[in-house]
């Protein structure tokens, strides 16, 4: 008798295919409790790399053919300001995030002040520089064990899908420009710089930014364009908010916080939004996927082409895979 399970009976996690919002919320909930347990009765908590690996695994397991995961050589990691890249796309258009994970310490701190000797710069400046080159939005993914009150202006932008026990706060996205603003304050020794608690409060639960469920305005549109635009609108809001914070702090005459701390890296500082960094909210215009990403969509995952700006993992999430039944009822881990 074969022990191999019948493929028709293979479990699609966690029951049937979840929405992206539902899955991200569940993963955030798991992170929140796992981290809380790690600082409590089940020490020590897992590291950032473990969380990232588990998240990529859940995305792959739960989303089936919607998700393509490409893993690269780990050795290149130390030269990079990013852990992974996430592209949400409809095979021709979409948006990419260059992601650096940071785990909240027991005391509510994050390792933002990380200096990469190999490139003589703060990881944050490299994250932004590399994201610009890669055509991605630079973000931190915070792993949290505490909840906070979302600012009213940010809450209006986000979807309303939350976990009853607030554990959806376990994973939140923060514009890297917010962190850059904080590093400038520290580097220049201004009397009051942005605290880590404030940075956390500027972040937003990832499921609420990347929500793929129909909003009040309705339709997904052909090939998921409505959904992609909704996600892009929230991502642009996050980027605009980070950029505005960076412009509001004293930066001396320095190009970046790395320069303010004596580094001489060749990093450019700019926004993914290009010239559209003012406060005005525009209708998002979907961007064509870069050739590099189109190449990854076609590539053999075991023999992927070399990437100009490497990272450990690239996750490609296809929104066009249509009308399958989506389980909206994925709860949080303990509710
Ligand atoms: Zn949602």
């Amino acid at each position: 008798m074969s022990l191999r399970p019948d493929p028709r009976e293979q479990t699609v996690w966690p029951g049937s295919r979840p929405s992206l919002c539902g899955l991200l919320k569940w993963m955030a909930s798991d992170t929140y409790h796992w981290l809380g347990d790690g600082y409590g009765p089940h020490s020590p908590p897992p590291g950032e790399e473990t969380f990232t690996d588990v998240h990529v695994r859940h995305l792959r397991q739960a989303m089936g053919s919607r998700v393509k995961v490409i893993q690269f050589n780990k050795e290149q990691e130390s030269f990079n300001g990013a852990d992974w890249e996430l592209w949400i796309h409809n095979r021709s258009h979409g948006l990419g995030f260059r992601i650096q994970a940071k785990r909240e310490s027991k005391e509510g701190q994050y390792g933002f002040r990380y200096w990469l000797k190999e490139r003589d710069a703060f990881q944050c400046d490299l994250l932004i520089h590399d994201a610009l080159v890669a055509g991605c939005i630079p973000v931190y993914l915070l792993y949290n064990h505490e909840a906070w009150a979302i600012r009213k202006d940010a809450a209006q932008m986000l979807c309303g899908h939350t976990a009853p026990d607030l554990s959806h706060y376990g994973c939140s996205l923060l514009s890297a420009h917010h962190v850059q603003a904080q590093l400038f304050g520290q580097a220049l020794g201004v009397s009051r710089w942005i605290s880590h608690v404030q940075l956390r409060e500027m972040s937003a639960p990832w499921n609420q930014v990347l929500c793929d469920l129909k909003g009040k305005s309705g339709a997904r549109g052909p090939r998921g364009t409505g959904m992609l635009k909704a996600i892009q609108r929230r991502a642009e809001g996050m980027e605009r908010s980070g950029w505005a914070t960076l412009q509001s702090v004293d930066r001396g005459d320095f190009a970046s916080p790395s320069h303010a701390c004596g580094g001489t890296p060749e990093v450019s500082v700019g926004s993914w939004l290009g010239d559209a960094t003012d406060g005005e909210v525009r209708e998002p215009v979907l961007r064509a996927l870069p050739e590099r990403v189109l190449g990854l969509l076609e590539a053999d995952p075991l023999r992927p082409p070399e990437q100009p700006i490497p990272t450990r993992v690239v996750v490609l999430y296809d929104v066009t895979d249509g009308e399958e039944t989506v389980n909206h009822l994925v709860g949080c881990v303990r509710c």
Side-chain angles (χ1 to χ4, degrees), residues 75 77-80 114-121 126:
E75 284 164 25
E77 192 185 351
S78 64
F79 296 98
N80 289 300
Y114 189 81
W115 187 270
L116 266 83
K117 283 197 202 94
E118 296 89 343
R119 288 173 69 185
D120 198 23
L126 297 170

Side-chain angles (χ1 to χ4, degrees), residues 255-271:
S256 73
S258 301
H259 291 90
C261 285
T264 52
E266 288 186 23
V267 291
S268 47
V269 179
S271 170

Side-chain angles (χ1 to χ4, degrees), residues 21 159-161 207-208 211-213:
C21 180
C159 88
H161 304 116
N207 72 296
Q208 296 194 293
C211 181
D212 58 338
L213 296 171

